[in-house]
Amino acid sequence: MFSQPLTTLPTRLNAEAAGGPGELEGLPEWDFSALYAAPDDEKLTADLDWLAGETKGFRSDYEGQLAEKSPDALATCIQRYEGIQTVMGRVMSYAGLRYYQNTTDPQRAKFMSDMQDRITAISADLVFFSLEMNRIEDERYTMLIDQSAELRRYKPVLDRMRAMKPYQLSDELEQFLHDQSVVGAAAWNRLFDETMAGLEFEVSGEMLPLEATLNLLTDTDRAKREAATHALIAVFREHLPLFARITNTLAKEKEIEDRWRKLPTPQASRHLSNHVEPEVVQALRDAVVAAYPRLSHRYYALKAKWLGLDTMQVWDRNAPLPTADDRVIGWDEAKDTVLDAYAGFDPKMAELAEPFFTEGWIDAPVKPGKAPGAFAHPTVTDAHPFVMLNYLGKQRDVMTLAHELGHGVHQRLAAKQGELLSSTPLTLAETASVFGEMLTFKKLLAQTTEPEKRKALIASKVEDMINTVVRQIAFYDFEVKLHDARRQGELTPDDINAIWMSVQAESLGPVFEFVEGYETFWSYIPHFIHSPFYVYAYAFGDGLVNALYAVYEEGDPEFREKYFAMLEAGGSKHHKELLAPFGLDASDPKFWDKGLSVIEGLIDELEAMEA
């Protein structure tokens, strides 16, 4: 339960949705002083020494005794556990963030691996805690909670822990899985990251890293987009056996653990960690798939018409419209745009975002070896979040900034819950980020009066929503099919390619032709490697925010107060509790249709412009 290492932290892959190169100087980089001054910082050494002693003392004081502890004694135990989690999270956040800045630097990679080894060894003394908590009989657990206000505060996180009770293995097996993790999934994740960061793609005689090559897929020049696609295909094909081996190994490892735990489906563990019911996710998935013809199929047919094409190739999917603003947007303008949009909602929101720009909380430049995509990592509650971008000055980069700052604001507000309760389940973790994007889009739209530029802006937002909803549900279906197929045996690269193409054709629609080689594009998506079945959280968040924003536009006078209260709750409440004040219920299948209707309405508006 300690803070998630950065090697397993999902990123928002803004590839295929960012801009080309520009003259961008003076972009901010991270200042790690809130964590540690350097890898040889005496504070880091002292923290590791303290952890080694404290975890052994914790085990000595509590192992074999949790079920007999009084409510107050158990509350004290959990508070000690939380303190340990905070220090471990600080260590791994520092190691992981430095590594993501340059994954090809051997010293950073070694430091990260060494810290991972140390923390895994140290935290072995904590494995008993969740196992024993889950063995407490339900009747006694209820009594303990009822008799202690402090324990009641921790109930949401304890309930999530106890949700794994039916799938818990023996103490020895749980200890083994913990100890071998550094040479299991974590090692394969690292191999994937380092391989991706080291790839180079030849485009028109120039060697480019992955991020810059993917960025060319949004170039105004169709020939450049096509050349970039073929460059990607050539390198993905060359490395396909490795990516297939990584995927097969991780899927098999997951199948083995799921089988031993008797989990009903490959995605069940993700639903449990997200504290969301499987039927809610299924309702979301079914609603989106049923809407493919009304959303992506209809929009891409419209886009083909705008581009003067009878059929679209994959390199046209994220092509800018002829009327789109293709200028390079400077960092200061991007900052002002997002902060103004946030302040227009509530000055408090802009105030919470401001330190990211002034205190070294953002790492924005594209650099050799830097991980692709973007993320916001909360680190620990007594420090502050860190945002990573690969900023290239396009409008969609500004939207990515708005997205990640939304995460950062959410993480700052939730920090008051403490280390164990601040972490928001993935289904709600995208709420503030997507809301921040919506605020920024609405501000830009209000400032845009020229019809062609307005059309381009709306189209850009529709594409972002399709990428967030339709594309992520297609990714989810890809994972479901892949893990089901892997249970029947080893998957060849061609097997995985075929599964990928089955969801691509279904989700993108009949207007597309698929160039030979596009079937390999599953291989670079980090979510499949780092966090299986993470991707539906994006669609969940977008649908939720669309419904939430509709409530905001209806003029609820208490909306801002309710919104900040929802973010401040962190992981202390279930999604039903958090959405109830807004009159929303994600377990209602009709809920998702409301969110999807927002996208449909924007496409209606685009079609009306053609009339």
Side-chain angles (χ1 to χ4, degrees), residues 361-404:
W361 297 4
I362 298 178
D363 197 279
V366 177
K367 295 174 284 191
K370 184 177 179 180
F375 63 74
H377 183 54
T379 68
V380 287
T381 55
D382 60 1
H384 61 74
F386 285 76
V387 164
M388 192 195 83
L389 306 171
N390 279 276
Y391 187 81
L392 287 163
K394 287 303 183 184
Q395 188 176 80
R396 280 171 172 163
D397 290 331
V398 179
M399 299 305 289
T400 298
L401 173 62
H403 180 102
E404 300 305 338

Side-chain angles (χ1 to χ4, degrees), residues 281-295 469 473 589-593 596:
V281 179
Q282 190 64 37
L284 164 64
R285 181 264 172 202
D286 291 347
V288 173
V289 171
Y292 284 169
R294 307 195 309 273
L295 302 180
V469 178
I473 289 300
K590 294 179 182 178
F591 171 85
W592 301 113
D593 290 329
L596 295 173

Side-chain angles (χ1 to χ4, degrees), residues 27-48:
L27 293 175
E29 299 187 40
W30 281 327
D31 174 2
F32 290 124
S33 58
L35 300 173
Y36 298 105
D40 60 356
D41 189 345
E42 291 181 0
K43 185 177 186 300
L44 174 60
T45 302
D47 279 352
L48 289 168

Side-chain angles (χ1 to χ4, degrees), residues 417-429:
Q417 296 292 339
E419 197 64 28
L420 294 183
L421 288 165
S422 63
S423 181
T424 308
L426 294 180
T427 42
L428 292 168

Side-chain angles (χ1 to χ4, degrees), residues 292-443:
Y292 284 169
R294 307 195 309 273
L295 302 180
S296 50
H297 296 189
R298 187 160 64 112
Y299 172 75
Y300 288 127
L302 193 59
K303 184 170 185 176
K305 179 182 175 182
W306 293 335
L307 296 176
L309 302 170
D310 293 327
T311 57
M312 296 235 291
Q313 262 296 348
V314 292
W315 52 79
D316 299 315
R317 185 171 66 82
N318 283 305
L321 297 188
T323 57
D325 184 358
D326 195 43
R327 67 188 175 89
V328 174
I329 300 169
W331 181 250
D332 287 342
E333 182 181 348
K335 169 188 171 182
D336 291 344
T337 297
V338 175
L339 289 182
D340 286 352
Y342 278 22
F345 172 71
D346 192 294
K348 178 181 176 181
M349 197 165 176
E351 289 168 11
L352 287 162
E354 179 71 30
F356 286 86
F357 296 97
T358 59
E359 305 299 324
W361 297 4
I362 298 178
D363 197 279
V366 177
K367 295 174 284 191
K370 184 177 179 180
F375 63 74
H377 183 54
T379 68
V380 287
T381 55
D382 60 1
H384 61 74
F386 285 76
V387 164
M388 192 195 83
L389 306 171
N390 279 276
Y391 187 81
L392 287 163
K394 287 303 183 184
Q395 188 176 80
R396 280 171 172 163
D397 290 331
V398 179
M399 299 305 289
T400 298
L401 173 62
H403 180 102
E404 300 305 338
L405 279 178
H407 279 306
V409 166
H410 193 172
Q411 290 158 359
R412 291 196 72 194
L413 287 167
K416 65 183 63 177
Q417 296 292 339
E419 197 64 28
L420 294 183
L421 288 165
S422 63
S423 181
T424 308
L426 294 180
T427 42
L428 292 168
E430 295 298 327
T431 304
S433 55
V434 178
F435 195 83
E437 280 191 83
M438 183 65 84
L439 290 172
T440 305
F441 164 69
K442 291 288 188 177
K443 178 175 177 58

